[in-house]
């Protein structure tokens, strides 16, 4: 295990902890993904979420139909225009999720040591004696002694609102279970998780494919969160589907690891996916509690070394109903940042929580504090050692740009890119200063019409730690032997000055392509 990832940069004076934090244009380098839903879908609330630091909006299709999510997305677009804050869109598939529908929405009280029977859903009402589920193969997948978990959608951790069951016997299609803890289930939908049990359902359901082909295509989604990814083949299948949908061929796939199967095949999944979401809610049920931290640290490390974003979930569950996180949750967020995570994903906290804006703001402040003591020097050396020699040309340029920026104490790194790859490689080495990714649009054609690329690449950097995108004027080419790039640089610097990121006499490291050569240069700003 890579335990020295947690080492702080240097000892700090204890009294300095009490000093107020300095405000910054970039609240944190670590990004925040917010799930939009009942408590966070109005223009007013979404605008405040963007101002607080949300850079990716997640749309969870486990609940709600296309029309519902379209109304929310339309509000997001309005908010983006009014706040002038970029935000990417993530579609989260339902996947092979087992659910119990409580049509009456009446609370269901369950008592420890009594029994409840899980049956295939044929229209029967859910009660304290019977749970109808959307899967008729459970009886074939479980055996006596297996553990099942049923809780409210986006369960928040309270043992009074979720129930642990132990399979007692299987009768045909029915599964009779002993209730292990007293609980009251509320709401219209409960999720069932079968711990360490293979459920024979496709990762992409027909409903998922329909949603992607309609809502996804219509809105040109930036990210696809592939729920319950269990094998690399799941990612390949999703990639094949996106490839057939034209506009979604550039959509990035984030594999959601939330079962023992996904953990077992993690390395090959990482190789195929564009990023990883560590779904600690479901995975925390599959794994013994003492193993969850180990998975997180190893998974984040592997993502870091591969240069692919790692997203951690389920960090401030208590803020669903409370204005402040617990001490353990605040420490958990900071440790995720010190581990090297790119983004924190908020689920119930923003979807149905009472304080979505305050949650985003609080998590952002914790991330910013943790980033100040992140051991960048150790991280940089380990990354260089892992990559080995000879480095690829682009990797060498990226690592050199970061090294130069740290040596000269640059206030910012500016990277010109058309695909976004160069900027992501720079971010891979976790510079201590922001990286402004200046995306140069390219003219492309599908033989029927011309279009400019760039917006996808700009938005997709919004989930990468330390990357802040800016779309350049398309009249300036990405590769040039004349000084036209300098005018784009001036625009970037002017924007940096206006936002307070850079000021007179600051040093700035610039990474750009001139002709066939990649160039790293250091400039000092004049008055």
């Amino acid at each position: 295990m890579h335990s020295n990832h947690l080492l702080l940069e240097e000892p700090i004076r204890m009294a300095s902890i009490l000093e107020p934090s300095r405000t910054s244009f970039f609240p944190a380098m670590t990004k925040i993904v917010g799930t939009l839903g009942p408590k966070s879908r109005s223009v007013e609330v979404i605008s405040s979420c963007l101002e607080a630091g949300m850079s990716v909006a997640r749309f969870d299709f486990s609940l709600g139909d296309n029309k519902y999510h379209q109304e929310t997305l339309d509000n997001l677009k309005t908010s983006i225009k009014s706040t002038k804050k970029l935000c990417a869109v993530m579609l989260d598939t339902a996947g092979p999720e087992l659910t119990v529908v409580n049509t009456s929405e009446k609370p269901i009280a369950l008592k420890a040591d009594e029994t409840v029977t899980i049956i295939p859903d044929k229209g029967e009402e859910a009660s304290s004696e019977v749970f109808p589920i959307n899967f008729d193969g459970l009886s074939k997948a479980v055996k006596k002694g297996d553990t099942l978990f049923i809780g409210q959608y986006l369960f928040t951790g309270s043992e009074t609102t979720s129930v642990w069951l132990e399979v007692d016997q299987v009768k045909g299609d029915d599964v009779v279970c002993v209730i292990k803890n007293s609980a009251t289930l509320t709401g219209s939908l409960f999720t069932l998780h079968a711990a360490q049990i293979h459920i024979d359902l496709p990762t992409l359901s027909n409903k998922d494919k329909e949603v992607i082909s309609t809502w996804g295509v219509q809105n040109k989604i930036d990210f696809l969160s592939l729920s319950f990814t269990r094998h690399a083949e799941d990612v390949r299948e999703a990639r094949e589907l996106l490839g057939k949908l034209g506009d979604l061929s550039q959509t990035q796939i984030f594999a959601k690891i939330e079962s023992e199967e996904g953990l077992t095949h993690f390395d090959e999944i990482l190789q195929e996916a564009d990023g990883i979401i560590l779904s600690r809610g479901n995975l925390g049920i599959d794994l013994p509690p003492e193993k969850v931290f180990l998975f997180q640290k190893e998974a984040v490390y592997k993502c870091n070394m591969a240069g692919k974003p790692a997203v951690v979930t389920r960090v401030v569950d208590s803020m669903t109903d409370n204005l402040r996180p617990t001490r353990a949750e605040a420490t958990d967020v900071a440790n995720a940042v010190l581990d090297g995570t790119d983004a924190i994903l908020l689920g119930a906290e923003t979807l149905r929580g009472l304080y979505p804006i305050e949650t985003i703001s609080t998590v952002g402040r914790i991330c910013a504090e943790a980033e100040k003591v992140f051991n960048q020097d150790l991280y940089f050396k380990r990354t260089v050692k892992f990559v080995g020699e000879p480095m690829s040309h682009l990797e060498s340029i990226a690592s050199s740009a970061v090294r130069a920026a740290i040596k000269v104490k640059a206030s910012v790194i500016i990277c010109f890119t058309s695909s976004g790859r160069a900027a992501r490689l720079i971010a891979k080495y976790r510079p201590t200063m922001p990286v402004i990714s200046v995306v140069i649009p390219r003219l492309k054609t599908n033989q029927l019409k011309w279009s400019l690329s760039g917006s996808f690449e700009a938005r997709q950097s919004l989930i990468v730690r330390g990357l802040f995108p800016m779309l350049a004027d398309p009249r300036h080419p990405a590769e040039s032997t004349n000084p036209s790039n300098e005018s784009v640089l001036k625009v970037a610097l002017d924007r940096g000055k206006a936002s307070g990121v850079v000021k007179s006499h600051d040093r700035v490291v610039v990474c750009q392509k001139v002709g066939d050569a990649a160039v790293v240069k250091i400039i000092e700003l004049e008055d």
Side-chain angles (χ1 to χ4, degrees):
M1 193 185 121
H2 313 279
S3 57
N4 50 358
H5 257 234
L6 282 174
L7 291 176
L8 302 184
E9 186 69 57
E10 58 185 22
I12 59 174
R13 291 184 305 108
M14 296 303 286
S16 69
I17 294 173
L18 301 176
E19 295 171 1
S21 302
R22 287 180 294 178
T23 56
S24 169
F25 176 73
F26 299 116
M29 308 276 263
T30 306
K31 304 303 176 65
I32 296 176
V33 181
T35 305
L36 301 185
K39 297 290 186 180
S40 55
R41 61 192 303 256
S42 69
V43 172
E44 183 183 5
V45 174
I46 294 174
S47 296
S48 296
C49 287
L50 292 173
E51 295 284 4
M54 180 181 76
S55 62
V56 180
R58 172 175 171 256
F59 294 80
D60 192 341
F61 276 81
S62 294
L63 281 180
D65 56 16
N66 287 22
K67 182 182 177 184
Y68 176 87
H69 288 298
Q70 190 61 50
E71 289 170 357
T72 307
L73 181 54
D74 290 342
N75 287 344
L76 172 64
K77 290 175 180 176
T78 302
S79 300
I80 290 170
K81 286 180 182 176
S82 64
T83 61
K84 294 182 172 56
K85 299 277 187 183
L86 264 182
C87 186
V89 172
M90 175 182 283
L91 187 161
D92 198 311
T93 62
E97 187 171 58
L98 306 185
T99 57
V100 177
V101 177
N102 180 22
T103 51
S104 70
E105 297 193 26
K106 295 177 182 176
I108 298 176
L110 301 167
K111 292 186 178 179
D113 300 324
E114 294 187 354
T115 61
V116 64
T117 304
I118 301 173
I119 63 173
D121 189 357
K122 294 178 181 174
E124 192 166 343
E125 188 75 32
S127 68
S128 57
E129 290 84 33
V130 173
F131 279 159
I133 65 166
N134 62 335
F135 179 49
D136 57 13
L138 185 66
S139 61
K140 299 180 182 66
V142 300
K143 63 184 184 302
K144 182 179 174 65
D146 282 345
T147 300
L148 303 177
F149 169 88
I150 296 179
Q152 188 180 29
Y153 169 73
L154 288 175
F155 165 65
T156 57
S158 168
E159 283 299 320
T160 60
T161 58
S162 64
V163 66
W164 292 92
L165 307 174
E166 185 178 297
V167 176
D168 183 52
Q169 58 178 310
V170 175
K171 293 182 176 179
D173 289 337
D174 301 346
V175 179
V176 181
C177 301
V178 176
I179 300 167
K180 304 303 286 182
N181 65 291
S182 297
T184 299
L185 302 183
T186 59
S188 60
L189 184 74
F190 315 135
T191 58
L192 184 151
H193 187 85
Q196 301 182 6
I197 296 165
H198 173 75
I199 299 299
D200 191 19
L201 285 171
T203 300
L204 268 182
S205 67
N206 289 333
K207 180 193 171 188
D208 290 331
K209 291 177 182 177
E210 182 188 350
V211 166
I212 294 167
S213 303
T214 53
W215 193 89
V217 170
Q218 178 186 343
N219 296 293
K220 298 182 180 179
I221 56 170
D222 304 295
F223 303 109
L224 177 70
S225 170
L226 192 59
S227 295
F228 295 94
T229 303
R230 293 166 285 186
H231 302 272
E233 184 56 37
D234 296 336
V235 182
R236 287 191 285 268
E237 181 189 342
R239 184 94 59 199
E240 185 180 351
L241 174 66
L242 295 177
K244 293 175 181 175
L245 296 175
D247 286 337
L248 297 191
S249 59
Q250 288 179 274
T251 297
Q252 291 188 351
I253 299 173
F254 275 60
K256 211 169 170 190
I257 307 299
E258 43 193 328
S259 69
E260 190 181 61
E261 274 186 278
L263 184 152
T264 305
H265 301 104
F266 183 86
D267 289 346
E268 49 263 45
I269 290 171
L270 176 60
Q271 200 168 352
E272 290 291 334
D274 297 300
I276 297 288
I277 297 174
L278 312 182
S279 184
R280 302 191 308 174
N282 285 328
L283 196 60
I285 297 167
D286 261 18
L287 292 178
E290 66 273 17
K291 296 288 187 181
V292 175
F293 86 96
L294 188 57
F295 166 72
Q296 175 176 314
K297 291 183 187 304
E298 287 300 303
V300 170
Y301 173 78
K302 286 174 181 286
C303 289
N304 289 166
M305 295 303 103
K308 295 184 178 183
V311 182
V312 171
T313 70
R314 305 301 296 271
V315 287
V316 286
D317 287 346
S318 72
M319 289 195 77
T320 304
D321 300 306
N322 299 291
L323 193 54
R324 286 170 62 96
T326 65
R327 296 173 293 280
E329 288 172 336
T331 304
D332 189 25
V333 174
N335 280 331
V337 173
L338 295 174
D339 286 344
T341 191
D342 286 82
I344 301 293
L345 190 153
L346 302 173
E349 304 97 324
T350 55
L351 179 130
R352 60 178 176 83
L354 302 177
Y355 308 101
I357 302 157
E358 292 84 354
T359 301
I360 292 169
S361 180
T362 299
V363 169
R365 289 198 306 273
I366 297 170
C367 289
E369 287 296 318
E371 288 158 7
K372 292 175 185 176
V373 293
F374 178 72
N375 196 331
Q376 198 280 335
D377 182 57
L378 174 64
Y379 179 92
F380 184 91
K381 288 174 181 174
R382 296 194 64 176
T383 307
V384 169
K385 183 179 178 181
F386 180 88
V387 172
E389 295 179 356
M391 277 186 174
S392 70
H393 181 69
L394 200 54
E395 188 110 31
S396 175
I397 291 292
S399 59
S400 297
V402 175
R403 191 194 301 270
I406 290 168
K407 291 290 184 186
V408 303
K409 294 187 177 349
S411 57
V412 72
I413 298 173
I414 295 177
C415 176
F416 292 93
T417 180
S418 52
S419 67
R421 184 166 171 242
R424 286 194 300 273
L425 271 178
I426 290 174
K428 171 182 174 178
Y429 287 88
R430 294 288 186 262
T432 53
M433 65 289 298
V435 180
I436 296 180
S437 172
V438 182
V439 181
I440 309 291
R442 277 183 172 171
L443 198 61
K444 61 179 184 179
T445 179
N446 61 2
Q447 298 183 337
L448 293 175
K449 62 179 181 179
W450 292 94
S451 62
L452 282 169
S453 69
S455 54
F456 253 115
E457 291 81 358
R459 290 192 302 270
Q460 285 171 343
S461 65
L462 290 167
I463 205 167
V464 181
R465 179 161 158 177
L467 270 193
F468 299 91
M470 171 184 155
L471 200 56
D473 191 321
R475 290 170 294 184
H476 300 300
E479 301 177 15
S480 175
T481 54
N482 60 48
S484 63
N485 267 355
E486 296 296 332
S487 60
V488 183
L489 175 60
K490 185 177 184 303
V491 172
L493 289 173
D494 287 345
R495 181 175 170 181
K497 287 177 183 176
S499 61
V501 180
V502 293
K503 55 188 182 297
S504 298
H505 305 296
D506 274 0
R507 289 172 177 170
V508 173
V509 169
V510 180
C511 184
Q512 67 184 121
K513 203 168 185 181
V514 180
D516 292 328
V519 177
V520 174
K521 61 183 180 181
I522 302 165
I523 59 175
E524 187 165 333
L525 302 185
E526 299 173 352
D527 289 329

